[in-house]
Amino acid sequence: MIITHFKSKENPRGKIGPFPQESIALKFPKDNSAPQYSFTKFRFNYRSKVNVIRTYAIVLDIDNQSENRQITWEDCEEWFCDSGLEFSMHTTRSHNQDLHKIRAIFPLDRPCTINEFKPTVEALIEFLGINEYKDCIDEKSYCAEQGWFYPSHVQGSLPLNLSQQGEKFKIVEMNIAKTLAGVDFKNIIITDLLEAKGLKFGQKEPSGFTRCDCPWHEHDQEVSSCAFIQEDGQWPKITCHANKCQDYGFMDFLALFTKDELAK
């Protein structure tokens, strides 16, 4: 599972690495200087919405800001263990006996796109039977690009953590054509979309194809294995011949964008 680590909230440039196995004591003078993680793979490892490629797990940030109800650690332990799902949860550094602060991680059965992410979060909340507690869950839980602080605690406090093996939650598969209904595909210009993602492309070759940076993965190649073709009156095509990208095509390329981004 992909985990991208960031030195701090203020530093969006990350790197791939293992998830910390133990809670770390709070050593940082302010929130923004603490390290963060994300279960999203970003283009250039740079955390932003436009760089989201795929997300591998859902993080529910239970911050209990609701005026009407609260979710306790004991509630989560009961609900999540009964779900049969694989999960890991821990208290955050602002957790205390009067106001529980919990972060729960649910791996997905396969990486999901930015268009599939929010519906999958909503489906998970419904599956867990906690719809009536949605106002206890931070809205950032619905954002694929969100960075989360490492499991940490204030010196002297006792952090809580719990994990369970089980089934990975199945993502809500989106029909990309339905998701993007209303978008004028005839007016989509691939070079504009590549530029919006910060991806480079070359000159059109005699074959009609134009080589470009791969939108799905970064490859260590002098000559790009990814190329696209867009001719008048023909359906656009973009493909990458690298082994881990061979199953991707034009619709997978469009899935990297929201409907609003494609409508610009």
Side-chain angles (χ1 to χ4, degrees):
M1 184 165 62
I2 293 293
I3 303 170
T4 308
H5 294 276
F6 304 91
K7 289 184 177 180
S8 70
K9 183 178 180 180
E10 296 172 332
N11 186 350
R13 182 76 66 182
K15 64 178 182 179
I16 304 301
F19 190 76
Q21 297 300 309
E22 298 179 357
S23 176
I24 57 174
L26 183 58
K27 305 174 182 178
F28 305 94
K30 58 180 181 177
D31 288 353
N32 288 352
S33 66
Q36 291 190 316
Y37 67 89
S38 172
F39 289 99
T40 292
K41 169 67 176 176
F42 297 96
R43 182 70 189 175
F44 311 120
N45 287 334
Y46 192 92
R47 187 171 68 83
S48 70
K49 187 174 182 179
V50 298
N51 285 338
V52 169
I53 298 176
R54 291 288 191 275
T55 302
Y56 293 74
I58 289 172
V59 179
L60 295 183
D61 187 35
I62 301 169
D63 62 357
N64 281 316
Q65 294 300 309
S66 171
E67 297 180 356
N68 303 315
R69 57 182 64 82
Q70 288 189 19
I71 298 175
T72 66
W73 176 268
E74 291 74 23
D75 289 333
C76 292
E77 186 173 5
E78 178 182 352
W79 296 336
F80 301 166
C81 287
D82 287 348
S83 73
L85 295 175
E86 180 177 335
F87 75 90
S88 177
M89 68 178 185
H90 61 85
T91 49
T92 66
R93 58 186 173 181
S94 54
H95 171 82
N96 59 60
Q97 292 300 318
D98 297 322
L99 188 62
H100 289 196
K101 301 282 188 175
I102 305 157
R103 202 156 287 148
I105 301 163
F106 293 86
L108 298 172
D109 68 326
R110 70 168 178 82
C112 72
T113 68
I114 193 169
N115 289 299
E116 294 168 327
F117 185 74
K118 185 176 180 179
T120 300
V121 176
E122 293 172 340
L124 172 63
I125 291 172
E126 183 174 356
F127 179 84
L128 294 171
I130 57 175
N131 264 327
E132 62 181 296
Y133 292 93
K134 288 176 72 172
D135 53 352
C136 298
I137 301 172
D138 195 303
E139 292 184 354
K140 293 176 182 177
S141 301
Y142 298 90
C143 301
E145 72 275 14
Q146 180 63 31
W148 305 103
F149 290 114
Y150 276 77
S152 61
H153 63 282
V154 178
Q155 289 281 12
S157 68
L158 183 64
L160 301 174
N161 61 81
L162 176 68
S163 296
Q164 171 177 282
Q165 295 298 312
E167 293 187 15
K168 291 180 170 60
F169 189 69
K170 294 183 179 180
I171 73 165
V172 175
E173 296 188 13
M174 303 294 292
N175 182 315
I176 189 64
K178 289 184 178 179
T179 303
L180 302 179
V183 173
D184 186 355
F185 291 100
K186 292 181 180 179
N187 288 327
I188 287 179
I189 301 175
I190 290 181
T191 53
D192 288 349
L193 295 180
L194 291 171
E195 287 179 343
K197 294 286 187 186
L199 301 172
K200 298 178 181 179
F201 53 90
Q203 298 295 318
K204 186 175 180 180
E205 299 178 357
S207 63
F209 280 87
T210 301
R211 292 187 183 275
C212 61
D213 288 341
C214 176
W216 299 290
H217 295 96
E218 294 179 64
H219 306 295
D220 295 327
Q221 299 171 318
E222 290 187 8
V223 179
S224 175
S225 58
C226 187
F228 69 89
I229 186 170
Q230 185 169 25
E231 302 285 357
D232 291 340
Q234 295 183 8
W235 188 253
K237 182 178 180 180
I238 182 168
T239 184
C240 181
H241 295 293
N243 290 335
K244 54 186 176 182
C245 301
Q246 286 183 349
D247 294 331
Y248 294 144
F250 182 61
M251 297 307 287
D252 299 290
F253 175 64
L254 295 184
L256 298 174
F257 301 84
T258 65
K259 186 174 180 178
D260 291 339
E261 289 172 333
L262 292 173
K264 291 181 179 179

